[in-house]
Amino acid sequence: MPGPADALGPILELMTWVGFVPGIPLLVAGWVVAKRRCPWTSTTAEVFEAGGYKGFRWSDGENAPHLSLHTAEETRGLEPGSEVVLHFDACHPGRWGLVPHRHDNTVMTVGWILTAVGIVCTLAGFILMMF
């Protein structure tokens, strides 16, 4: 009479393949994305006012000046002449924010999860063969 171990073996083998086959290429792709990503850096920006708009004036690492205008709602609480810490992408200074940027790498995360599933199922398959 077949037991639960007989049914569990094929399921574990299938999940091993489901984990490893897409997991490892996703890890490689996530690593490539992480290596090609430009670093974000911080600088001090001056708040200025022009007409009904407020904006930020700052210089990047190569001393190139940058300006950005925003509505009064977007810059609520910032006084003209004050300074704020501005975080920007070193390769693309047009991408910036007032809070530090989080480098999310979803491809790498999914790759780690699938590879971990493959490893756990492989180990469970070997343990199952022993019993």
Side-chain angles (χ1 to χ4, degrees):
M1 178 166 115
D6 294 333
L8 193 57
I11 293 171
L12 287 173
E13 184 174 350
L14 175 69
M15 290 306 295
T16 298
W17 285 101
V18 167
F20 279 132
V21 171
I24 292 177
L26 285 174
L27 278 177
V28 172
W31 180 79
V32 169
V33 166
K35 290 297 177 189
R36 292 189 52 142
R37 180 177 288 144
C38 290
W40 280 60
T41 186
S42 300
T43 189
T44 303
E46 177 188 1
V47 179
F48 70 95
E49 189 168 16
Y53 297 94
K54 289 183 185 175
F56 301 115
R57 179 180 306 136
W58 80 94
S59 296
D60 61 12
E62 298 171 355
N63 288 332
H66 296 279
L67 299 171
S68 61
L69 289 176
H70 305 282
T71 63
E73 286 182 12
E74 293 174 326
T75 56
R76 187 183 340 262
L78 297 174
E79 294 298 321
S82 64
E83 293 184 345
V84 295
V85 176
L86 188 93
H87 307 276
F88 66 95
D89 187 342
C91 298
H92 309 282
R95 287 193 252 169
W96 58 269
L98 295 176
V99 294
H101 183 71
R102 281 185 45 197
H103 289 293
D104 293 336
N105 193 340
T106 307
V107 175
M108 182 84 81
T109 303
V110 171
W112 277 116
I113 291 170
L114 288 174
T115 305
V117 166
I119 291 171
V120 167
C121 289
T122 300
L123 293 176
F126 282 126
I127 291 171
L128 187 65
M129 282 192 317
M130 292 181 190
F131 295 108

